[in-house]
Each structure stands twice: as structure tokens, then as C-alpha cells.
Amino acid sequence: MKNAEIASMFERIADVLELKGENNFRINSYRKVARVIGDLTHDIKEIAEAGKLEDIPGIGKSHAEKIEEFLQTGRMSKYEEVMEGVSEETVTMMHISGLGPKTVIMLNKELGIERISQLEEAIKQGRLKGLKGIAEKKIENILKGIKLFRTSQERIALGVAFPVVNRIVNQLKDVKGVSAIQPAGSLRRMKETVGDIDILCAGKQGRKIIQSFVNLPEVSEILAAGVTKGSVRMDEGLQVDLRVVEKDSFGSALQYFTGSKAHNIHLRDIARKKGLKISEYGIFREKKKLGGRLEEDIYKKLGMELVPPELREDRGEIEASQEGRLPKLIELKDIKGDLHVHSNWTDGSSTFEEIARYARKCGYEYCVISDHTKSTRIAHGLDEERLLKEIEEINKINKKLSGDGFRLIKASECDIKNDGSMDISDKVLAKLDIVLGAIHAGFKQSKEQITERILASIHNPYVNIIVHPTGRLMSQREGYEVDMDKVMEAAAKTGTALEINSFWDRLDLNDVNARKAKEMGVKVAISTDAHHLDQMWMMQLGVGVARRAWLVKQDIINTWPIKKLLEFCKRKTKHKT
Ligand SMILES: [Zn+2]
Ligand SMILES: [Zn+2]
């Protein structure tokens, strides 16, 4: 898909126009186009081919022409014209806090600075001193900004940060003087990667609270410790800031620091039109404070429902909230069982009984045992014979468990082979309750081949869920190329679900694809792919992705009663596809 590339070109055009001091209206229209394209759930090429570019809100005739030109020729003359004589890094520099377009232009003119490293060098040599508008303080701020920019480039996976932050919150919530504590920022929005972490706390005796925070055992370095704010680096390298605010402003501060930027800008706009002002301290009319203790206060005074944090990306949630049609998002407590867990029969570490006991402790009614099949050799995948034995063994355990309402579900994470056939014969697949189809090899096949492979497995009457549908590993590789539209179309038609794999490094489907799945009528499974019991908590991450995708309980097959789930799986065999 060219969506991201085209979005960043429009973003760049807006940046350069801003550098050149063009009028705000034009700049903003390009920024809006960038954001709208970045959020699209469909391939922009297909929209263009259907002649529907201008149906996208925010995209006018001239934007559409530029997009068409790029799709047809691989070039966009407007972009080339604007970028003429401007270096990429100069454009990046204007986003560094303490700089801004005017300073960047001045530094370029006076000192020929085009790069961040040149700027640092110039500061070191004292060459900025005496330039117009550059006081000592300003130089300090620029240096701070550069440092901040560098760390912001290093984002951390949500699943790495999440448990660390939970531990901090759990340790601080009982500290004397703390009346409320809550993480904010992209972590609260469950974005798949997070930058620095902001935790907000309402309470008195700020200094004492901050001291408890900076002295937590996992802190590796104290960066700052004041009365209302402390800042530390944790063992994982994560920077965490704790702010102590007045009880009276806790809600507004939480709203403010949760973001996203786009969401908050849109809210401020609505406030302005109503003659109101919102800030981290509250919502105001003139000097009069109308609210701020609760997050709801802000939204209510703006005539809106409280928007769940995961939706706050300005992707239509504000309008939905104004019109009272926010979805009732899926919650962790709706999940009735994990649909993808490995046991010690292959590369997992736990026995069936251990898994059953643990799943019950998670409040589940069932848990799916889905071990690998023979093609995945490193995992000692099962062949037909061993899989049949596994089925027998699970039957025995279930007999033992019967009476307390919990059961293990017999499944297999069956490899989709290079030619699209399944790794286990249909005869044996037929004996399972659920079959997961997975690609673990042949990633370098062409988009067409991979797509055909997945389509073939979707058309196998025994395959119920395609797991980790794009194969990405966030820390290591992008996924294989696959035509998601075709996959989703077939999945919807055949009653095959797609997985949100909750494993921290996968989160696959991601939020954009999961939202698209819903739009295309595909049912979604949320599962952990746990190989150890202490990985089953990651269900929360998958639920976060689903919430970001606007999914509700009915969209997710493992929120259904077990009977309905198994019927959904069996239905496919009845109506052979
Ligand atoms: Zn797998
Ligand atoms: Zn797996």
C-alpha cells in the first residue's frame, strides 16, 4: 500500500510551506490530507481506481490530482517543486522543540546549518551567540529539544512498557497522600509503541510522593525530583515522568496528557467555538472554572460523551461522541477464553493441566490448546500420529475436569504450506474443535503467492482462524506482503475469523487492519499465542488493539458462549466452501 508514503509526502509539503512562511490555510489543508490518508483503512490505489478519491473528506480536486499523478508515475511534481533546494533534515529540524520554522530558516541563512549535528557543533563553538533572537536561554532550550528529539526517535513496544508501568502504579497507589494515580499518554491509548511515559497522580505532599517514586527499586537513574514532578529512567531504558496535580485538576490533566495531539487540537477548537478554554488545569469560561476534577467534566461541558482513551486519535471519535454514537468497546472481562496457547507437547513449557488451572484463574471458561504442526520443525511440530495422541490426552483431562464447567479445546496451529495446502490431513483436522491456519515460512514469496496461499487455507472447510495474518515481528521484521482486501473478503464470505495476536512483538492484526476487518464483516479472534503461562496476561494488549479498532463484544468470537463459538467453527464444514 502506498498510503503511508503518500501521507508523509503531504506532511512534508506542509512542513516546507511552513518553513517558507506560506499561509496557514494551505499548510493546514495539506496536513489534513496527510492525516486522512494515513488513517485510511483501504488501499488508496483502489480508491483512486474506483474514481473515489474526492469522496474522502478533506481531499479536494487538486489533492486528488497529485495523488493520481504519484500512483501513475511514482512522482509528484508538487512535492519535487516544494522540496527543491531544501534538505530533508532541515525540514525535520523544525519539529524540534525550541526551534520552529523561523529559527531553522535564520540558522540556515546565517550559518548554513542544514543538519542537527551541524547545529550541535555550532552551539559547541559558541557560534549562535549574538545572532538575532538567540539568547542564552534559547540555546539551552534548543539543546534540550535536540535531546528530547533523539529519545523520541527511540520508541518502545507497548508490551514492554505496559508491565513496568503497572508495577509502578501498583507500588505508588498505596503511598500516603495519593488519592488517584493513572498512566497517561500513548500507553493509555494502547498505541503499539510508546515514547516516554507520563503517570499522573492526584495528591497532597507532592515532594514525599515524588521521593517514593524516584526510590522505587527498578529505577536505574534519577533525572529530576521536585515537588510536582519526578523523572526517572527505568532498568528497561524507559523514561517515566510522574506529575502530582491538585485533585481538582486531575481529570483535566489526565485528559491533556493522554492526547493524542490531533484529538486535543480538535477538542480545543470545539471549546473555542463555545467560548470555552481547556487546559491541563480545567475547563474555563473566561476566568471561571467549570470543571476538571473528572475527565468526564471536560467532555460533558463540550456537549460530548467521554471518549475512551484508545479512540482518541481524531479518527471520527469526536463526531461520534457529539452524536452519541460511540461504540461500547470490547473489554478484557468480556473474553471467555484464550484461543491460541502452546503446551509442552511442542515448544510451550506447560502441561495441559497447568494451562487449564491457570486459564481458570484468569476467569476463562475454556482454553484452546493449539500446538504447532510438523513443518515447524524447530518447535517439534506434531505429525498426524502425535496430534491424534494429543487429542486423546486432552479428552482425558477434560473428563477429569468435567463438572466444574471448564474445558480445554482441541486445536492445532496448522502450517499453511508453500503451495497453500495444510500441513495436516483433512481427516485429522476434522477431529479437532478448532483449526488455526498459520504461515511460518516462505515469507519471501510474492504478494500474489502469499495471498493465494492464505486464500487456499481460508477455503479449506476445517480452517477457522487465520493467526498472525501479516507475520510481522515488530522488533525484527515487517510482515510478508499480502492483499488484505482479498483475504478479508474471503474470510467474511466463508465464516473464517482473523486473529489479533496479542503477543507483544506481534500485535497482528494491528489496529488499522482490525478496524478494516470489522468494516468488511470479518469476525475477529483475540488470543495470546502464549508459550508460557506468564505470557497469558498479554490478552490485555490484544484487547487494546481491538478497542483502538472500534471493536465491540459481538465482533470477537471468544466473547461468545462456548456453544456459539463451536457452532461457528463447525458451520464452515457443513456448508463446504
Ligand atoms: Zn504461529
Ligand atoms: Zn502460535
Side-chain angles (χ1 to χ4, degrees), residues 19 61 107 113 118 176 186 220 253 279 294 314 351 359 390 439 446 471 542 559:
L19 270 179
K61 188 158 181 280
L107 291 172
I113 289 172
Q118 291 171 332
K176 204 169 157 250
S186 43
S220 68
S279 71
L294 300 172
D314 200 12
T351 64
E390 184 177 50
I439 286 192
S446 71
T559 66

Side-chain angles (χ1 to χ4, degrees), residues 340 342 370 372 413 440 468 501 529 531:
H340 184 169
H342 295 273
S370 55
H372 287 291
E413 181 180 8
H440 292 123
H468 42 73
N501 188 300
D529 205 352
H531 288 66

Side-chain angles (χ1 to χ4, degrees), residues 435-572:
V435 176
L436 319 185
I439 286 192
H440 292 123
F443 277 47
K444 295 229 164 73
Q445 285 183 323
S446 71
K447 184 172 179 179
E448 288 69 30
Q449 281 172 307
I450 297 258
T451 307
E452 280 311 314
R453 239 170 118 184
I454 298 182
L455 289 180
S457 77
I458 287 178
H459 285 291
N460 179 308
Y462 298 104
V463 175
N464 305 114
I465 306 170
I466 302 297
V467 296
H468 42 73
T470 76
R472 74 156 172 182
L473 285 177
M474 292 200 284
S475 63
Q476 293 166 41
R477 59 165 192 245
E478 300 215 0
Y480 36 73
E481 284 217 71
V482 54
D483 187 332
M484 245 332 142
D485 283 36
K486 279 194 184 153
V487 166
M488 288 185 182
E489 227 174 74
K493 220 162 101 195
T494 55
T496 310
L498 296 181
E499 181 189 55
I500 294 178
N501 188 300
S502 312
F503 199 84
W504 72 272
D505 205 16
R506 290 193 182 271
L507 302 185
D508 176 16
L509 301 173
N510 66 7
D511 54 353
V512 172
N513 273 328
R515 188 169 183 186
K516 176 180 169 138
K518 179 184 171 114
E519 281 170 13
M520 294 187 68
V522 180
K523 293 298 174 200
V524 171
I526 309 179
S527 36
T528 63
D529 205 352
H531 288 66
H532 311 282
L533 298 180
D534 61 7
Q535 292 170 339
M536 285 175 72
W537 70 269
M538 291 188 216
M539 185 63 80
Q540 294 181 53
L541 304 178
V543 169
V545 173
R547 289 172 63 87
R548 286 180 63 81
W550 295 57
L551 301 190
V552 302
K553 195 173 159 183
Q554 297 85 295
D555 300 321
I556 316 288
I557 62 173
N558 48 324
T559 66
W560 300 348
I562 188 163
K563 204 171 149 229
K564 184 176 169 187
L565 170 70
L566 295 177
E567 272 168 12
F568 171 82
C569 295
K570 281 286 160 279
R571 202 178 312 146
K572 209 178 153 183

Side-chain angles (χ1 to χ4, degrees), residues 210-277:
I210 297 288
Q211 280 307 317
S212 311
F213 167 60
V214 300
N215 286 315
L216 288 175
E218 284 173 79
V219 168
S220 68
E221 188 188 350
I222 301 174
L223 303 171
V227 185
T228 59
K229 194 181 157 191
S231 189
V232 299
R233 201 172 299 287
M234 305 297 287
D235 289 342
E236 289 78 3
L238 194 65
Q239 184 180 326
V240 183
D241 295 348
L242 178 76
R243 291 163 205 273
V244 182
V245 301
E246 296 281 332
K247 215 171 167 178
D248 231 29
S249 305
F250 184 68
S252 48
L254 189 58
Q255 199 291 319
Y256 179 87
F257 286 108
T258 296
S260 66
K261 205 168 155 195
H263 176 87
N264 282 357
I265 287 176
H266 195 158
L267 279 196
R268 282 204 291 275
D269 224 44
I270 293 171
R272 200 174 315 121
K273 283 179 189 141
K274 289 182 183 288
L276 302 170
K277 209 177 150 266

Side-chain angles (χ1 to χ4, degrees), residues 64-82:
E65 281 167 0
K66 293 180 181 77
I67 296 167
E68 296 271 17
E69 186 201 351
F70 180 74
L71 289 171
Q72 279 159 23
T73 66
R75 303 175 60 169
M76 191 190 291
S77 27
K78 178 71 186 177
Y79 179 76
E80 290 175 2
E81 173 203 312
V82 166

Side-chain angles (χ1 to χ4, degrees), residues 365-382:
E365 293 172 15
Y366 57 85
C367 186
V368 170
I369 304 289
S370 55
D371 278 315
H372 287 291
T373 58
K374 55 186 183 278
S375 290
T376 302
R377 283 204 197 92
I378 4 175
H380 310 291
L382 307 176

